[in-house]
Structure formats: structure tokens, C-alpha cells
């Protein structure tokens, strides 16, 4: 198996229980890069909350962000994007608000939220929808499962959206084209890498598209049950640095 690209989720996958890239994991990534293998981080996070985590670990790599709404270079340059229409984004935001669900809106001009204590984002201004912004993703958060279920049902009536989650307490809305797998496919085309030369790592429901698209998939021990079913292989948990261990195993076979 000739691997040319590793693709990894962040939370619950690459990050440990302290939401950090462990030294063992950073060393494995650097070893892969030194061997000529690209590293691509694919996350639901925005650039502002994802990039510092890799930078602190001394890792330079490209990013698929906001569940596939953006592809950015290691320096933050926007390479590709897939955005929601303003009308659809506003409809989705209204549905979440009607259910009393907290909201973060990721745009081309920064991140905005209804709850600045929970989210690292600017307060959502009253005139938000009249501003010339491009909406990449809506992130709803709530610990009432019934409210999230009701919101999902209502959001299901909207056209052209993708609805997923990275944890039981959240819901994430992007354009239908903005899925992790689709943006990784587009990135791989830029890199000139075929799908069978890619290994993907993940743990959450928002990684499902990766596991259905790429044959070489690795589910964390702590992953949702569906990924265990779809994965080519189940590896150690994020707490046990499963990504690092699997990368080392793959590199040892080269």
C-alpha cells in the first residue's frame, strides 16, 4: 500500500483528552512528512480554532475546515470553498433559534455566536443578515436531545444542505457540496493523489463521508459505532495516541 496522503480529524482523533496534539503524535506526523507523505487535517473547526492547535505542536499542514466548507493552506490562504446561500443560512439559523439552540455562524469574515462564553467568536450582531457576508457553516449546540431532534427534522426540509454532528450535543449545517470527503477529493486532485493512496482517520458522525469514500479508513477505538462498521481497520483511541501508532506502523512497512 503506497500512501501519499494522511487525512485526520481533530477532536476525538488527532487530539488527546486535553485537546492537544501529544508529542508522540506530532513526531509521527513529522516523520510522515519527512518521508514525503502529505498531512491534511479535516475538521469541523474554523481556521481560528484549528490552526493554533497544530502550530503549537510544530506541525505545518493544509486544512479542510468547517466540515468541508473550506480548504486552506498551512499559511491560511483560502484555496477552495463551498458556501451556503444567505437565504438558506438564515432559514437554518431561524430553525435553531426557534428551538432555543445556541448558535455559531462561520463566515468569510470571521465567526459569530449567540453565546460568547461557550464559543470563541464575536457576538452575533443584530444587523448580521444585512451584512455582505458569505456563510460557510452553522454550528448549533444544546444539551436537550429533544430540541436537537426537532431541529434536525425541520432542517431536513431545506434544500441544498448537509446536516451532521461531531458530538451528541451539537448539529452542523453546511452546503451539500461541503462535506469532508468532497473537499478532500478536491484537495487530492490539486495534489495529484489518487483515492487509493489516501488513509483517513476519524471518530465522529461528521467523518462518515470520508469512510464511505476512501477505502483505507481508520476508526478510533472511541469512534461512533457506525465508523467501526465502515472502517477498514479500528485502531487505538485518541487518548492512547492511536493515530500516531498507526502512522508508525504504516511507515515501518514502507
Amino acid at each position: 500500500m503506497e500512501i501519499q496522503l494522511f487525512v485526520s480529524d481533530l477532536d476525538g482523533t488527532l487530539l488527546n483528552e486535553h485537546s492537544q496534539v501529544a508529542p508522540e503524535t506530532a513526531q509521527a506526523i513529522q516523520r510522515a512528512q519527512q518521508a514525503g507523505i502529505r498531512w491534511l487535517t479535516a475538521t469541523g473547526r474554523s481556521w481560528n480554532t484549528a490552526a493554533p492547535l497544530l502550530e503549537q505542536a510544530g506541525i505545518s499542514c493544509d486544512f479542510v475546515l468547517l466540515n468541508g466548507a473550506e480548504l486552506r493552506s498551512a499559511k491560511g490562504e483560502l484555496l477552495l470553498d463551498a458556501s451556503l446561500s444567505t437565504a438558506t443560512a438564515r432559514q437554518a439559523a431561524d430553525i435553531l433559534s426557534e428551538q432555543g439552540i445556541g448558535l455559531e455562524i462561520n463566515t468569510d469574515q470571521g465567526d459569530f455566536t449567540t453565546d460568547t462564553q461557550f464559543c470563541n467568536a464575536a457576538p452575533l450582531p443584530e444587523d448580521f443578515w444585512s451584512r455582505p457576508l458569505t456563510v460557510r457553516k452553522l454550528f448549533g449546540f444544546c444539551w436537550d436531545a429533544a430540541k436537537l431532534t426537532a431541529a434536525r427534522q425541520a432542517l431536513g426540509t431545506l434544500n441544498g444542505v448537509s446536516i451532521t454532528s461531531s458530538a451528541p450535543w451539537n448539529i452542523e449545517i453546511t452546503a451539500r457540496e461541503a462535506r469532508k470527503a468532497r473537499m478532500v477529493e478536491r484537495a487530492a486532485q490539486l495534489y495529484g493523489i489518487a483515492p487509493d493512496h489516501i488513509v483517513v482517520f476519524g471518530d465522529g458522525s461528521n467523518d462518515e463521508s470520508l469512510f464511505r469514500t476512501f477505502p483505507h479508513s481508520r476508526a478510533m477505538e472511541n469512534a461512533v459505532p457506525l465508523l467501526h462498521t465502515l472502517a477498514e481497520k479500528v485502531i487505538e483511541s485518541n487518548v492512547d495516541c492511536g493515530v500516531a501508532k498507526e502512522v508508525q506502523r504504516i511507515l515501518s512497512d514502507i
Side-chain angles (χ1 to χ4, degrees):
M1 179 172 64
E2 181 190 355
I3 299 305
Q4 299 175 359
L5 174 65
F6 285 118
V7 180
S8 178
D9 173 51
L10 273 181
D11 297 275
T13 301
L14 197 68
L15 303 182
N16 61 19
E17 70 272 30
H18 305 296
S19 295
Q20 297 174 337
V21 178
E24 178 182 346
T25 302
Q27 290 168 8
I29 295 172
Q30 290 166 344
R31 183 183 170 196
Q33 291 177 323
Q34 289 166 1
I37 302 173
R38 283 182 175 269
W39 193 276
L40 180 62
T41 297
T43 176
R45 290 175 179 252
S46 67
W47 169 259
N48 291 335
T49 59
L53 298 171
L54 278 294
E55 183 179 358
Q56 290 165 10
I59 302 300
S60 177
C61 66
D62 291 350
F63 291 83
V64 168
L65 299 161
L66 304 171
N67 284 340
E70 292 182 346
L71 173 68
R72 289 185 181 270
S73 71
K75 295 182 179 180
E77 176 190 6
L78 181 65
L79 303 176
L80 297 168
D81 69 277
S83 302
L84 287 159
S85 71
T86 300
T88 300
R90 187 167 188 173
Q91 285 179 290
D94 287 345
I95 288 171
L96 295 177
S97 296
E98 287 168 4
Q99 292 295 328
I101 294 173
L103 178 64
E104 177 178 310
I105 305 178
N106 308 111
T107 79
D108 63 331
Q109 296 183 37
D111 306 327
F112 302 87
T113 183
T114 58
D115 187 344
T116 55
Q117 290 188 329
F118 183 78
C119 296
N120 181 22
L124 187 69
E126 292 185 4
D127 65 343
F128 176 83
W129 295 109
S130 65
R131 296 187 178 190
L133 303 173
T134 299
V135 177
R136 308 279 198 225
K137 189 184 89 165
L138 283 81
F139 177 81
F141 47 94
C142 178
W143 285 262
D144 187 326
K147 290 183 178 181
L148 288 172
T149 298
R152 280 183 174 276
Q153 292 174 344
L155 289 166
T157 65
L158 301 181
N159 293 321
V161 300
S162 175
I163 304 166
T164 186
S165 65
S166 54
W169 49 267
N170 68 41
I171 188 166
E172 305 182 37
I173 305 104
T174 58
R176 192 179 304 280
E177 181 73 0
R179 293 174 296 112
K180 283 189 180 183
R182 179 60 187 135
M183 192 58 83
V184 170
E185 285 180 322
R186 295 174 70 186
Q189 289 171 358
L190 287 179
Y191 303 152
I193 297 174
D196 58 346
H197 295 305
I198 299 171
V199 173
V200 299
F201 298 90
D203 75 297
S205 297
N206 62 342
D207 298 313
E208 179 182 346
S209 66
L210 292 172
F211 281 59
R212 292 190 181 277
T213 302
F214 298 99
H216 303 308
S217 55
R218 303 292 187 265
M220 312 306 292
E221 183 182 347
N222 53 286
V224 296
L226 176 60
L227 294 194
H228 282 192
T229 301
L230 296 174
E232 181 180 53
K233 181 180 180 181
V234 177
I235 61 174
E236 297 89 345
S237 72
N238 65 313
V239 174
D240 292 327
C241 298
V243 171
K245 289 180 170 61
E246 181 65 5
V247 168
Q248 297 285 19
R249 285 190 286 263
I250 291 172
L251 292 177
S252 67
D253 291 335
I254 295 177

